[in-house]
């Protein structure tokens, strides 16, 4: 079994050694330009077209939860990857836990009004504030896949009203499920905290725009943990300035790294992190990939395969 590996920033030697340990007998190599030798599996992130083009692979594994970089290249180069070659994404591999930590900590930060107290601190004002009530702090999660369900699961014990919106209806305990375009508006009505965990598809690009934000509860909050293309940043800033939104927590942006001239940097009610909400944990990712390859080799069923038409 031959495996080729490419990632522009990962510690390649760690991955090669870990894969050899997890898959004894496999031949694992770093792909470099000009390498046209046969391979059975490819492990990639933002792969050059020539790495995959024309290869008769058993499967391709994207080294992250998103596959939009591969799918966007496929649109421009349809022959990069044959239709019959399965494409897999990392389903969780520690990302769910990281998203839980991020979302819960920020929701509690807003609920306990720590953003307001920080603003008062800047003015040297000692002023106890009225507590928010849980029943008035409805949390809506856009996207109810693996990561969305994990975040909802972590928030449930805190007693906030929880709802989710996705392409198809979900049956998660204690969570009100909305599905499809017709139910997006009812989902937004009364939502105080909007957490975005949608996949990046043609239908979801720019979905968090002026029209959507105006349907949220007054003095609401937005947390974007999915992709920068989901959010129209200019509309977010206008909603903050109008008072419709009270705050935003952003981990992803329309351009990354975020340009120094972006007005997001200076806005006092926008908190930011540099696309670190959930990163690939190598040990857990290697374990998932090795297990999946083993099942594929044995003809057993697996999970994590991407539906290229849906985009996730």
């Amino acid at each position: 079994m031959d495996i080729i590996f490419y990632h522009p920033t990962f510690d390649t030697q760690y991955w090669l050694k870990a894969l050899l340990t997890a898959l004894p007998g496999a031949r694992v190599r770093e792909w470099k330009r000009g390498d046209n030798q046969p391979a059975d599996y490819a492990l990639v992130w933002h792969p050059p077209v020539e790495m995959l083009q024309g290869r008769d692979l058993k499967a391709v594994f994207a080294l992250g939860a998103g596959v939009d970089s591969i799918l966007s290249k496929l649109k421009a180069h349809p022959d990069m990857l044959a239709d019959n070659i399965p494409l897999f994404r990392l389903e969780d591999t520690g990302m769910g836990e990281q998203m839980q930590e991020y979302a819960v900590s920020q929701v509690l930060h807003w609920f306990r009004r720590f953003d307001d107290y920080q603003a008062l601190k800047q003015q040297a004002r000692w002023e106890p504030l009225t507590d928010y009530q849980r029943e008035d702090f409805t949390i809506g999660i856009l996207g109810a896949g693996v990561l969305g369900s994990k975040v909802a699961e972590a928030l449930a014990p805190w007693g906030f009203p929880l709802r989710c919106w996705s392409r198809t209806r979900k049956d998660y305990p204690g969570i009100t499920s909305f599905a499809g375009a017709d139910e997006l508006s009812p989902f937004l009505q009364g939502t105080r905290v909007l957490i975005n965990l949608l996949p990046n598809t043609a239908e979801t690009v720019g979905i968090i725009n002026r029209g959507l934000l105006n349907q949220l509860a007054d003095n609401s909050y937005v947390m974007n943990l999915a992709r920068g293309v989901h959010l129209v940043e200019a509309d977010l800033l206008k909603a903050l300035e109008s008072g419709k939104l009270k705050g935003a927590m952003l981990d992803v942006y329309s351009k990354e790294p975020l340009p120094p001239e972006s007005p997001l940097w200076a806005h006092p009610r926008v908190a930011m992190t540099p696309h670190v909400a959930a990163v690939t944990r190598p040990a857990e990712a290697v374990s998932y990939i090795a297990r999946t390859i083993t099942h594929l080799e044995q003809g057993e069923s697996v999970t994590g395969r991407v539906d290229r038409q849906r985009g996730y």
Side-chain angles (χ1 to χ4, degrees):
M1 181 198 310
D2 291 283
I3 300 173
I4 49 177
F5 176 94
Y6 175 85
H7 196 292
T9 60
F10 277 1
D11 182 347
T12 299
Q13 293 308 307
Y14 169 88
W15 279 80
L16 298 183
K17 291 178 182 178
L19 287 162
L20 286 170
T21 299
L23 291 165
R27 293 174 295 277
V28 187
R29 69 183 188 272
E30 178 185 8
W31 180 86
K32 296 182 179 180
R33 293 192 181 278
D35 179 352
N36 296 314
Q37 296 302 307
D40 299 295
Y41 297 95
L43 281 52
V44 302
W45 190 249
H46 292 281
V49 172
E50 65 182 281
M51 179 184 181
L52 303 178
Q53 199 168 39
R55 287 191 181 275
D56 185 19
L57 296 162
K58 294 181 179 179
V60 173
F61 289 84
L63 297 172
V67 293
D68 39 297
S69 67
I70 295 176
L71 295 179
S72 63
K73 282 193 175 182
L74 271 173
K75 288 183 180 179
H77 305 276
D79 60 341
M80 183 179 80
L81 193 65
D83 292 339
N84 64 313
I85 298 176
L87 174 62
F88 290 88
R89 59 181 173 83
L90 301 184
E91 285 190 294
D92 188 340
T93 62
M95 294 183 189
E97 182 180 65
Q98 295 173 74
M99 286 293 190
Q100 289 177 325
E101 295 166 350
Y102 196 111
V104 171
S105 64
Q106 187 59 37
V107 166
L108 294 179
H109 180 88
W110 285 328
F111 179 66
R112 289 300 308 271
R113 306 195 66 171
F114 293 153
D115 55 334
D116 292 324
Y117 284 119
Q118 181 63 21
L120 290 172
K121 173 185 177 293
Q122 301 301 321
Q123 304 171 46
R125 289 173 56 189
W126 181 282
E127 183 180 339
L129 300 172
T130 302
D131 291 342
Y132 289 146
Q133 302 302 307
R134 275 177 170 76
E135 58 268 25
D136 300 324
F137 217 73
T138 297
I139 299 170
I141 301 172
L142 279 173
V146 173
L147 297 179
S149 65
K150 288 283 188 181
V151 166
E153 177 185 295
L155 286 166
W158 294 96
F160 299 108
L162 288 174
R163 56 178 64 168
C164 66
W165 180 83
S166 54
R167 184 176 179 272
T168 57
R169 198 172 309 284
K170 307 300 182 182
D171 185 18
Y172 297 142
I175 302 169
T176 305
S177 175
F178 296 80
D182 291 343
E183 296 186 10
L184 180 57
S185 288
F187 161 81
L188 296 168
Q189 297 296 321
T191 292
R192 185 73 181 277
V193 177
L194 183 70
I195 302 176
N196 179 39
L197 284 163
L198 287 168
N200 180 10
T201 68
E203 292 76 21
T204 62
V205 170
I207 190 171
I208 307 176
N209 53 34
R210 178 182 178 183
L212 182 147
L213 295 172
N214 284 340
Q215 296 180 69
L216 296 171
D218 291 339
N219 294 311
S220 55
Y221 301 89
V222 169
M223 193 186 312
N224 191 12
L225 308 182
R227 286 291 185 267
V229 295
H230 291 139
L231 173 65
V232 180
E233 292 169 359
D235 289 356
L236 175 82
L237 291 168
K238 289 177 182 177
L240 287 165
E241 292 307 313
S242 72
K244 180 64 178 181
L245 291 186
K246 190 171 181 187
M249 181 76 216
L250 308 179
D251 184 59
V252 289
Y253 312 89
S254 57
K255 293 182 180 179
E256 295 184 7
L258 186 66
E261 63 272 16
S262 170
L264 294 171
W265 287 110
H267 201 288
R269 286 182 286 131
V270 175
M272 303 190 305
T273 50
H275 205 148
V276 295
V279 299
T280 301
R281 289 179 173 171
E284 295 179 52
V286 167
S287 177
Y288 163 76
I289 292 168
R291 183 171 63 252
T292 303
I293 288 177
T294 299
H295 289 327
L296 288 170
E297 289 290 304
Q298 296 173 351
E300 299 173 355
S301 61
V302 295
T303 61
R305 183 170 179 173
V306 173
D307 183 327
R308 295 198 204 177
Q309 296 304 312
R310 292 186 181 181
Y312 56 93

